[in-house]
């Protein structure tokens, strides 16, 4: 039996947890949204999905300090096909943490995580996903009619 598609008031398809995690895992770059000096900050990071967490590498700096504090952050990734006016966006929210040294060795063996930037003393950071929301802009013929 096929699951019934759900749409929001803007006629975007509402995605479930499994679809959101699958889409996040399908792209290599996302945006970490956190607070820096009391203001919003957004940084691109390359990442991997590990179960219900997001893992990325960072050097010394504001992202690592946010993880050391256990800050609540948002993480967003998307993909858009401009020619066809279709795409998706997924936003995950949760607490950051620094991956423990014991976990680092296991993660480096089991997940394909490699920083795109040269770093001195890279640290692994984990975002424990506590909520996730996704929307997909589907082709015109698949969108519900207004009314």
């Amino acid at each position: 039996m096929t699951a019934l598609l759900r749409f929001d008031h803007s006629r975007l398809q509402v995605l479930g947890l499994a679809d959101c995690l699958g889409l996040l895992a399908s792209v290599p770059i996302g945006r970490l949204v956190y607070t820096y000096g009391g203001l919003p900050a957004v940084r691109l990071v390359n990442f991997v999905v590990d179960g219900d967490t997001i893992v990325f590498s960072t050097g010394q700096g504001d992202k690592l300090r946010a993880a050391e504090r256990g800050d609540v952050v948002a993480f967003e990734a998307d993909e858009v096909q401009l020619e066809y006016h279709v795409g998706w966006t997924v936003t995950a929210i949760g607490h950051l943490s620094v991956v423990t040294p014991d976990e680092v060795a296991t993660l480096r063996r089991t997940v394909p995580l490699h920083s795109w930037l040269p770093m001195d003393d890279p640290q692994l950071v984990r975002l424990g996903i506590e909520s996730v929301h996704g929307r997909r802009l589907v082709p015109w013929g698949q969108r519900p009619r207004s009314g």
Side-chain angles (χ1 to χ4, degrees), residues 64-131:
L64 182 59
R65 284 189 293 278
E68 290 170 339
R69 291 188 304 262
D71 288 2
V72 174
V73 300
F75 187 88
E76 190 273 342
D78 54 51
E79 185 173 78
V80 177
Q81 295 179 13
L82 295 176
E83 182 179 342
Y84 299 108
H85 297 201
V86 297
W88 58 267
T89 183
V90 171
T91 303
I93 298 171
H95 288 83
L96 284 182
S97 63
V98 178
V99 177
T100 66
D102 292 340
E103 289 181 287
V104 168
T106 301
L107 279 172
R108 294 217 184 267
R109 284 192 312 272
T110 59
V111 298
L113 181 62
H114 306 286
S115 176
W116 290 11
L117 298 173
M119 293 182 214
D120 295 327
D121 191 28
Q123 302 288 314
L124 291 186
V125 170
R126 180 186 309 277
L127 169 60
I129 299 173
E130 297 168 27
S131 80

Side-chain angles (χ1 to χ4, degrees), residues 30-44:
R31 293 165 199 84
L32 179 68
V33 183
Y34 62 102
T35 303
Y36 178 68
L39 298 172
V42 181
R43 300 290 184 268
L44 287 175

